[in-house]
Amino acid sequence: MNVQELIKVADLNIVTLPSPEREVEGAYIGDLLSWVMGRACENNAWITIMSNSNIVAVATLADVSCIILAEGVTPDEGVTETAESKGVNILSSPKSAYEIAKALFKSGL
Amino acid sequence: MQEHLIFRFDVDGEDFTSAGQASVHVKKNLRQIGIDPETIRRVSIAMYEGEINMVIHAGGGVAEVHVYDEYIEIILDDRGPGISDIDKAMQEGYSTASDNIRSLGFGAGMGLPNMKKNTDKLDIFSTVGVGTKIVMRVNYKN
Ligand SMILES: Nc1ncnc2c1ncn2[C@@H]1O[C@H](COP(=O)(O)OP(=O)(O)OP(=O)(O)O)[C@@H](O)[C@H]1O
Ligand SMILES: [Mg+2]
């Protein structure tokens, strides 16, 4: 499944979608950046409530296919633009990380 | 000494929000010269953690990446406060990060362990009050 398809089946909102074709395989949930760096796998969807610009560098370096901001969190100023220019997909949802993970699971991820 | 490729960056210690840019650059450059993805991933993770540490603990520094035929070497050099107990700093969960820095998502105490895990060689030279130099080596896959 790619990110574009995931958005539809898991009912996610688009914050920025510069790389809609990226494959998604599995997910990682976490807010502590060095845990995410150490544990998230390539092409995971990364679910977090962190909204500052460091999430863009982490997403780039950990090779996740998208960031999903949970609990209705919105990115800090300038983050969306940075993500867009770096090709990092940011999605969002009013749901909790648990509810989002459930939706991803149900969608066949 | 044989000629080899070197990337060099001044890492700004003021701006926490744009931290990690040197690592992002290196990743892009390594991709362009055709380094294997697994090696790029390990270099990216190890360098990012070292770069962030220079920013949040040492007020910035200099990062160099040397691309040799057999391996990639990452050298991080700062004039920060130094690390008094390196064994302790290497432990998972040990962190001296302030609340302010933790609120950005740093301070899990997993950076140095991540550097260890993703490199084939890690040397830390540190003197309290003088600075810290970290040399990491990542061998190519195969
Ligand atoms: N370049 C440095 N200069 C001075 N102290 C450092 C440096 N790098 C690491 N340290 C010390 O070692 C500790 C552990 O570093 P480590 O990267 O493992 O964790 P952290 O940076 O506190 O949190 P995290 O990396 O999980 O965000 C730091 O809290 C800090 O006290
Ligand atoms: Mg660290």
Side-chain angles (χ1 to χ4, degrees), chain B residues 25-55:
Chain B
H25 263 281
V26 164
K27 178 170 190 174
K28 205 164 135 197
N29 292 343
L30 294 181
R31 225 184 231 160
Q32 276 164 358
I33 60 171
I35 304 295
D36 71 273
E38 180 61 26
T39 302
I40 294 178
R41 184 176 169 80
R42 297 179 74 212
V43 168
S44 298
I45 293 171
M47 179 170 173
Y48 176 78
E49 295 291 3
E51 181 183 356
I52 292 298
N53 280 354
M54 288 204 301
V55 175

Side-chain angles (χ1 to χ4, degrees), chain A residues 12-83:
Chain A
L12 301 166
N13 303 316
I14 297 173
V15 176
T16 182
L17 190 63
S19 314
E21 309 284 322
R22 269 206 70 162
E23 277 303 304
V24 191
E25 294 158 18
Y28 186 84
I29 304 175
D31 305 316
L32 296 175
L33 300 178
S34 54
W35 274 94
V36 180
M37 276 308 272
R39 300 293 169 98
C41 298
E42 190 180 351
N43 292 338
N44 276 176
W46 171 28
I47 306 169
T48 185
I49 53 166
M50 277 294 161
S51 57
N52 68 75
S53 65
N54 293 290
I55 60 174
V56 179
V58 170
T60 304
L61 294 164
D63 262 327
V64 299
S65 51
C66 59
I67 300 168
I68 305 176
L69 298 174
E71 309 276 6
V73 163
T74 55
D76 295 358
E77 209 187 314
V79 174
T80 305
E81 293 73 17
T82 311

